[in-house]
Amino acid sequence: SAVISQKPSRDICQRGTSLTIQCQVDSQVTMMFWYRQQPGQSLTLIATANQGSEATYESGFVIDKFPISRPNLTFSTLTVSNLSPEDSSIYLCSVEGPGQGGPPLHFGNGTRLTVT
Amino acid sequence: GDSVTQMEGPVTLSEEAFLTINCTYTATGYPSLFWYVQYPGEGLQLLLKATKADDKGSNKGFEATYRKETTSFHLEKGSVQVSDSAVYFCALKTNAGKSTFGDGTTLTVKP
């Protein structure tokens, strides 16, 4: 299965600043997914990042707030901009596993963001 | 739209107790079904999966059977250990490739 390295693992940021999260995969993948996991809640898909094209954002998420880069097939960044306390969450990078029949997702260890 | 409903937690059990975490889903077509586990401070890991009706996924003593007639995928383990303490997520993935997760169930196993 894919090995996903995500950093930073945690950060404390002041409101109004931005945080950029990096995600590195040990194999080439077409799609990379960014999720948000708010305290005590489930995962919500923020966007899907395809190499060479604009990311596709889910309802309720916009590029100005969550700009994404995908410069190559093994790397992506998610920036959370103009931070407010409501952005305090765990942010997870994920990729699809190989195989047919609905392959599972593989996740990084997440970035725990606290906004003060 | 697609949805996954999990048994609410938290669940607290004694070591060697039997575990059931209920999961039901709503989806168009025939999704693949998954259980993921999240240990403290880590991301989600795939625990088991089933891709079609009546398939049974199993791993590390955990089992779940894809029941199309009841749209369910309940997670079971005959004898839990302290090391099984974690958050468990039921999820589905449609043929279009979109994943939907349940709210997660926190399991605490006491020695």
Side-chain angles (χ1 to χ4, degrees), chain A residues 14-34:
Chain A
Q14 292 189 340
R15 68 177 69 204
T17 64
S18 299
L19 175 69
T20 295
I21 302 167
Q22 298 180 6
C23 180
Q24 179 77 51
V25 188
D26 69 342
S27 58
Q28 295 183 338
V29 293
T30 304
M31 293 189 291
M32 296 176 76
F33 305 93
W34 287 99

Side-chain angles (χ1 to χ4, degrees), chain A residues 21-88:
Chain A
I21 302 167
Q22 298 180 6
C23 180
Q24 179 77 51
V25 188
D26 69 342
S27 58
Q28 295 183 338
V29 293
T30 304
M31 293 189 291
M32 296 176 76
F33 305 93
W34 287 99
Y35 284 87
R36 181 174 71 184
Q37 184 181 16
Q38 292 180 301
Q41 297 187 24
S42 186
L43 280 72
T44 303
L45 181 64
I46 297 171
T48 302
N50 293 313
Q51 194 270 333
S53 64
E54 293 284 334
T56 303
Y57 289 84
E58 297 299 307
S59 175
F61 298 95
V62 295
I63 188 170
D64 289 347
K65 176 67 175 178
F66 297 99
I68 287 172
S69 78
R70 184 77 204 274
N72 57 54
L73 290 172
T74 63
F75 187 79
S76 178
T77 67
L78 170 74
T79 299
V80 190
S81 304
N82 190 24
L83 290 168
S84 67
E86 293 72 34
D87 295 321
S88 297

